[in-house]
Amino acid sequence: MWSKSPLPRIAYFSMEYAIDASIKTYAGGLGILAGDYLKGSKDYNYPIIGIGIKWKQGYTDQLIDENSNVYDTYHNYKYDFLKDTKLKVKVKIYEKDVTCKIWLLDKFKLAPLYLLDTDLPENDNRWITNQLYGGFEDSRLAQEIVLGIGGVRALRALDINVDVYHFNEGHALFAGFELVREKMNTGIPFDEAVKKSKEEIVFTTHTPIIEGNESHSISRMISIGANNGFTIEQLISLGGCPFNMTVGALRLSRISNAVSKLHGETANKMWKNIKNKSKIISITNAIHIPTWVDEDMLKAAEDSNSNNLWTNHIKNKRKLISFVKERNEIELNENSLLIGFSRRAAPYKRSNLIFSDMKIISPLLKDGKIQIVFSGKAHPLDDTGKDIIKNLVNFSKQYPSSVVFLENYDMTIGKLLTQGSDVWLNNPRRPLEASGTSGMKAAMNGVLNLSTLDGWWPEACRDGINGWQFGDGLQSDDIYFIDKHDANALYEVLMNKVIPTFYLERKKWISMMKNSILSTKDYFSVKRMLEEYYSKIYIK
Ligand SMILES: *Cc1c(COP(=O)(O)O)cnc(C)c1O
C-alpha cells in the first residue's frame, strides 16, 4: 500500500498518541486527535505512518487525597505487544550520543506507529523518554530532539520514503532541522536547504494562548544540541529570540492549519506580525467514531422508525452511574438530569463557572434537579490547575449526592462521560479553545452540548435544535466582566431551556438528541478530516 499509493505518503509526528486507555502515551486532546487520526488512516487506507515516543511512565496518574489535594503518581508501564524493529538510531544530546530504539505498534487497528525509546542500558540519559511533558526545559528539549531528529533518522533506518512530514504541534519542529541538515550535508547552503525542506513540511498549530506556545533560550538550545549544527543567526531566522517553536514551525512549513474555523481566525491574528510564515488555513478536528460512539445510538438515530434512542441512552447513563458508584461510592439518580464536564484544569476552561452564583445553583443541587460529574487533570507543575480541581472536589464534598469528581481522567472516563451524560457542558472563555473533541463525542452519542460558541461548536450549533449555546459569542479582555456575563447566560439557558425541556418535554429532548447525532456524525468524523488534510495541505 505504501509504495503503490498514488497519494502523497505522510509521516505524522506527534509527542502523544491516545490509542487505548491501556497505553499511556497521551495526556489530553492533542493525543486524542493523533490517535484518532491514525485509526482513521487505517480505516480509509491512507498511506500514513506515525512517529512518536514510547513513554515509560506516560503522563501523570493523578489522584486526590483526603484533604482534596491533588498529587501525581508515576508507574513504569510495560508493553509486551510492541514489535521490536531491531533498529536503533542515535541523536546527540549535550554532545553525547543517545541511542533510540525503534518499536512498532501495529495492534489496535491503526496505521503503523513507530515509537522511539531511550530507556536502554547503553544510555546515560535513559530518562529522556520517561515522562510525557515531565521535567523542565532541558528535558523537554531533549525529548523534542528524540522525536524530531531521532524521528527522521528512524524513517531513514526503516527505509521508509516520505513525501510530506506533518508536525502535529511545534514539538516536532526539530524534524525540520534534521531535514535541513541532511541537505546541508550534501553541500546545499542553509537558505536553500530551508526552502527545499519547507516544500516537504506541513504544520498543525493547536494553541491559541501565546504562553502555551513553547519557547526556549537560544543558549540552552545550543548547549543541549537542539540547534542541530545551525548557527545562532540561522536559529533566530527561524524561531526568533527567544526561540519560539510555533514560529519556527510556521516558517519551516509549506502550509499550516488551525483546528477549527474560529481558531483559524485567532491564529492568523495571533501571528500576523510574523514574517515569512506559511499560510494558516483551517481544518476542523474530528473524531474516530468506532472508538467513541455507541453504535446503537447511531443506528437508532438513523432509523426513523426506531424508538430506541432513549432506551439506549439510559443504558449508557446506567453504565456511567455504576462506574461512579464503583469509583466514588456515590449513587446518582438515573431520572435526574446529569451534566458531564471534563477538561484539563486550566483557568480559561473555567471548570467552576457553574458555581459562580451559589444562590442559584445550590437549590438545584440540593433538590437533585441537576447532578454534575466532573473529571480532568492538571499539568503536574501547574499549581493553579491543581487548585481548580481541589475547589471542584470541595464542592463534591459539600453536595455529595449531586456533585462528583472522578480522579485520573483518561480515555475510559472520557468515553463513559461523553456517552452517559445527558448534557455536555463546555464553557471556555472565547476564543481560547482551539477546537475540543469531547463535545463531538457527546454530540454523536446524543448527549446534548451546552456550550459557549468557542472551538468547534460555532460550526455545529443550531441553538435549541441540536444543543444549546450560551453567551452569544461575546468576547472581552475584561475577564471579570466576561465571566459574569457567561455565567449569567449559562444560568439563563440552564433554568429556562435545559431543565424544563429535560423534565417536561421529553419528546422534544429526544428529537434534539436525534438532531445532535445526525447533524454531526458526517462532518465531525475523521473521514472528512483526512479528506481535507489531503485536498488542502498534503496534495500541492
Ligand atoms: C476526548 C478527550 C479529550 C479531548 O477533549 P477536549 O476537552 O474536548 O479537548 C481529552 N482527554 C480525554 C481523555 C478525552 O477522552
Side-chain angles (χ1 to χ4, degrees):
M1 194 260 297
W2 187 258
S3 56
K4 280 192 234 120
S5 174
L7 289 169
R9 295 158 299 183
I10 314 300
Y12 186 81
F13 287 70
S14 180
M15 200 74 148
E16 46 169 315
Y17 291 90
I19 308 294
D20 184 86
S22 66
I23 312 174
K24 313 284 180 176
T25 48
Y26 69 97
L30 187 74
I32 299 283
L33 175 73
D36 282 10
Y37 173 95
L38 289 189
K39 290 175 184 172
S41 304
K42 172 81 175 180
D43 292 352
Y44 303 107
N45 269 313
Y46 285 108
I48 293 175
I49 59 152
I51 300 283
I53 288 178
K54 174 179 176 283
W55 298 105
K56 184 179 185 178
Q57 301 188 325
Y59 192 56
T60 169
D61 282 313
Q62 195 166 68
L63 307 176
I64 317 281
D65 72 15
E66 63 272 25
N67 300 316
S68 318
N69 289 315
V70 176
Y71 66 99
D72 295 295
T73 65
Y74 292 92
H75 308 92
N76 293 334
Y77 293 101
K78 286 216 168 65
Y79 306 112
D80 301 333
F81 49 81
L82 290 179
K83 272 199 193 133
D84 186 350
T85 66
K86 302 267 164 57
L87 294 168
K88 291 174 179 178
V89 293
K90 288 193 167 115
V91 295
K92 271 220 159 40
I93 289 172
Y94 297 119
E95 292 176 356
K96 259 197 190 144
D97 276 336
V98 175
T99 303
C100 313
K101 189 172 169 56
I102 309 168
W103 299 93
L104 171 63
L105 174 62
D106 63 355
K107 209 181 143 181
F108 297 106
K109 244 186 136 244
L110 80 163
L113 171 58
Y114 294 95
L115 297 172
L116 299 172
D117 175 17
T118 62
D119 183 30
L120 308 169
E122 61 258 48
N123 284 335
D124 294 338
N125 293 324
R126 296 177 72 146
W127 52 265
I128 294 172
T129 56
N130 263 14
Q131 293 175 3
L132 172 59
Y133 306 133
F136 294 91
E137 189 175 8
D138 283 21
S139 31
R140 178 66 65 85
L141 280 166
Q143 293 165 346
E144 290 171 341
I145 291 173
V146 169
L147 176 69
I149 299 174
V152 171
R153 292 181 186 171
L155 291 168
R156 305 298 177 250
L158 291 158
D159 203 15
I160 295 176
N161 292 316
V162 171
D163 300 304
V164 179
Y165 300 81
H166 182 166
F167 301 168
N168 186 39
E169 192 50 298
H171 307 129
L173 173 62
F174 301 149
F177 284 20
E178 178 64 2
L179 295 174
V180 172
R181 198 202 53 84
E182 283 180 335
K183 295 179 184 66
M184 290 170 78
N185 284 355
T186 71
I188 298 176
F190 175 78
D191 289 347
E192 206 182 319
V194 166
K195 218 166 142 192
K196 283 205 153 114
S197 300
K198 265 189 197 181
E199 289 302 306
E200 310 168 306
I201 298 171
V202 302
F203 167 52
T204 303
T205 179
H206 290 267
T207 316
I209 298 176
I210 287 274
E211 309 79 58
N213 288 272
E214 205 182 302
S215 66
H216 300 289
S217 84
I218 297 279
S219 59
R220 270 262 160 87
M221 287 177 75
I222 290 178
S223 73
I224 200 164
N227 58 322
N228 204 27
F230 298 171
T231 64
I232 291 177
E233 292 71 31
Q234 289 168 343
L235 270 186
I236 292 176
S237 74
L238 292 171
C241 181
F243 187 97
N244 187 294
M245 299 292 279
T246 306
V247 172
L250 287 169
R251 290 211 178 114
L252 203 49
S253 51
R254 171 167 55 80
I255 187 163
S256 305
N257 75 287
V259 291
S260 70
K261 292 201 169 79
L262 178 62
H263 179 223
E265 291 169 26
T266 311
N268 274 293
K269 278 187 207 142
M270 224 172 122
W271 304 114
K272 70 172 186 296
N273 293 326
I274 302 299
K275 295 201 177 75
N276 304 320
K277 66 170 184 299
S278 57
K279 185 173 165 190
I280 308 172
I281 64 161
S282 292
I283 298 177
T284 302
N285 283 166
I287 60 166
H288 182 250
I289 294 176
T291 300
W292 299 109
V293 183
D294 175 17
E295 212 176 312
D296 293 341
M297 289 302 285
L298 274 182
K299 277 197 198 126
E302 280 161 356
D303 178 356
S304 52
N305 298 319
S306 171
N307 295 315
N308 290 339
L309 215 48
W310 186 254
T311 352
N312 272 322
H313 172 64
I314 290 297
K315 171 197 81 183
N316 291 333
K317 190 169 178 180
R318 281 185 190 143
K319 269 194 209 159
L320 172 60
I321 288 174
S322 56
F323 183 83
V324 167
K325 174 116 200 273
E326 221 172 89
R327 277 282 189 97
N328 290 31
E329 292 170 31
I330 282 171
E331 180 111 41
L332 294 173
N333 177 355
E334 75 174 51
N335 298 314
S336 164
L337 178 68
L338 197 160
I339 299 175
F341 185 105
S342 187
R343 294 277 131 46
R344 179 165 55 86
Y348 79 89
K349 304 210 186 211
R350 303 186 296 190
S351 308
N352 38 31
L353 190 77
I354 196 167
F355 297 123
S356 299
D357 187 342
M358 292 314 288
K359 279 199 306 298
I360 295 180
I361 212 68
S362 184
L364 297 176
L365 293 170
K366 282 202 183 117
D367 298 350
K369 265 259 151 54
I370 62 171
Q371 327 170 76
I372 317 176
V373 181
F374 289 97
S375 191
K377 287 177 181 174
H379 184 280
L381 298 175
D382 178 10
D383 289 333
T384 312
K386 289 184 178 176
D387 282 344
I388 293 173
I389 293 178
K390 181 172 182 169
N391 187 252
L392 293 176
V393 175
N394 283 333
F395 278 117
S396 75
K397 287 181 175 167
Q398 221 174 315
Y399 302 95
S401 57
S402 42
V403 180
V404 170
F405 185 88
L406 292 170
E407 66 185 359
N408 208 25
Y409 183 40
D410 66 355
M411 287 179 81
T412 305
I413 295 178
K415 187 165 170 172
L416 281 161
L417 273 178
T418 53
Q419 295 195 345
S421 305
D422 297 307
V423 165
W424 191 244
L425 176 63
N426 178 44
N427 44 231
R429 206 178 278 135
R430 197 176 192 259
L432 300 180
E433 186 68 65
S435 168
T437 51
S438 57
M440 301 172 191
K441 303 170 194 167
M444 289 184 216
N445 281 301
V447 172
L448 300 181
N449 276 272
L450 170 59
S451 172
T452 49
L453 285 170
D454 203 5
W456 75 290
W457 188 228
E459 291 169 56
C461 175
R462 285 153 66 208
D463 191 31
I465 294 173
N466 65 356
W468 293 274
Q469 67 87 21
F470 59 92
D472 299 322
L474 196 71
Q475 274 170 227
S476 169
D477 293 333
D478 182 343
I479 287 180
Y480 177 80
F481 162 78
I482 196 69
D483 288 359
K484 200 162 167 55
H485 170 271
D486 287 353
N488 287 338
L490 167 59
Y491 290 143
E492 145 89 30
V493 175
L494 188 63
M495 311 274 285
N496 299 328
K497 295 178 182 168
V498 180
I499 292 175
T501 312
F502 182 82
Y503 289 106
L504 307 172
E505 293 186 86
R506 186 58 50 85
K507 256 210 171 109
K508 178 174 177 208
W509 186 278
I510 295 170
S511 81
M512 286 183 74
M513 289 171 65
K514 186 169 174 151
N515 294 339
S516 170
I517 298 169
L518 296 180
S519 64
T520 53
K521 71 179 179 47
D522 296 321
Y523 191 75
F524 298 99
S525 148
V526 281
K527 181 170 188 294
R528 185 272 310 159
M529 183 177 78
L530 283 162
E531 285 165 6
E532 274 197 65
Y533 271 106
Y534 267 93
S535 65
K536 294 190 170 160
I537 73 172
Y538 293 160
I539 296 174
K540 281 191 214 176

